[in-house]
Amino acid sequence: MSTTRTHTRSRTALRRAATVTALAAAGLFGAAGIASAHVTVHPESYAKGATDGVLTFRVPNEEDSASTDKVQVFLPTDHPVLGVLVHPQDGWTPKVTTTKLKTPVKTDDGTITDAVSEITWTGGKIGAGQYEDFDVAFGQLPDSTNQLMFKTLQTYSDGKVARWIEAPTGGEEPENPAPVLKLAAAGDENAAPTASKGDSDAAPKAAATSGDSSDSTARGLGVAGLVVGVLGLAAAAFAILRGRSTR
């Protein structure tokens, strides 16, 4: 075999390996981008009527040339979340808006006529490639619905507003999905642990479990992408050595 043909085969093998590696990397980063592009609530589910828990709203910044400087989360009032408290967030100033309920809610502590309908955080900054977690404690979740949708507006320093307000339809995720918390019947395996008054850490632990699961998935994708890339480069090296041995 001529030296020219050997070099040609080597270059072809290298190009193929590079293509495989590039595609693997593109798929990896594409999947990561899809998974983290929109505002989400954690944990993803709770038991109906759960008490004394925490919801974490994760807000990623998806703009390269602007930072997020305002976040507005709207809480439903048709199925209100009772006893809302906002956790202090370094650099951010929260504003809590309450609304009079059309239908008061009867509890063991009395009748509730007002509930939080909006929480707005301002004054902070989420830079490119970063995210911020906003923790909201609650006294009680409703038991009269299967899910809660928290419409969210994310404002950037350049004036752009990302409107995470769309509800899922037909099992498909919309382009701008709102954070959705699923509510399962007590005892359902899909429900997050209900925090009791003596165990205020139960909800954060559930949120951490959800985050760990996402991290594991991301790590799995990363390993898979690296394996594919290494296999591609190994194939190229084998082709080069084989070509040299046949000169």
Side-chain angles (χ1 to χ4, degrees), residues 56-130:
T56 298
F57 294 92
R58 176 159 294 181
V59 182
N61 190 95
E62 59 178 4
E63 293 291 322
D64 295 330
S65 58
S67 58
T68 297
D69 56 16
K70 182 179 180 181
V71 177
Q72 296 167 268
V73 176
F74 297 88
L75 285 67
T77 55
D78 52 347
H79 299 286
V81 179
L82 305 180
V84 170
L85 296 173
V86 180
H87 187 275
Q89 195 83 2
D90 290 343
W92 294 87
T93 301
K95 177 183 177 183
V96 178
T97 301
T98 59
T99 298
K100 185 169 292 295
L101 300 174
K102 293 182 179 180
T103 304
V105 179
K106 294 182 179 181
T107 70
D108 294 338
D109 298 322
T111 300
I112 306 298
T113 59
D114 299 90
V116 173
S117 58
E118 179 185 346
I119 305 173
T120 300
W121 288 271
T122 56
K125 176 181 178 181
I126 308 174
Q130 300 177 342

Side-chain angles (χ1 to χ4, degrees), residues 218-230:
R219 285 194 295 269
L221 286 171
V223 171
L226 289 174
V227 169
V228 172
V230 169

Side-chain angles (χ1 to χ4, degrees), residues 41 43-48 141 145-148 180-184 190-192:
V41 61
E44 296 179 351
S45 66
Y46 253 114
K48 291 183 177 181
L141 294 177
T145 184
N146 293 324
Q147 67 176 31
L148 296 175
V180 173
L181 176 70
K182 297 179 181 178
L183 298 179
N190 293 321

Side-chain angles (χ1 to χ4, degrees), residues 9-23 232-233 235-236 239:
R9 290 183 61 182
S10 297
R11 286 196 298 271
T12 300
L14 284 172
R15 282 198 299 270
R16 289 176 179 174
T19 300
V20 169
T21 304
L23 290 174
L233 292 174

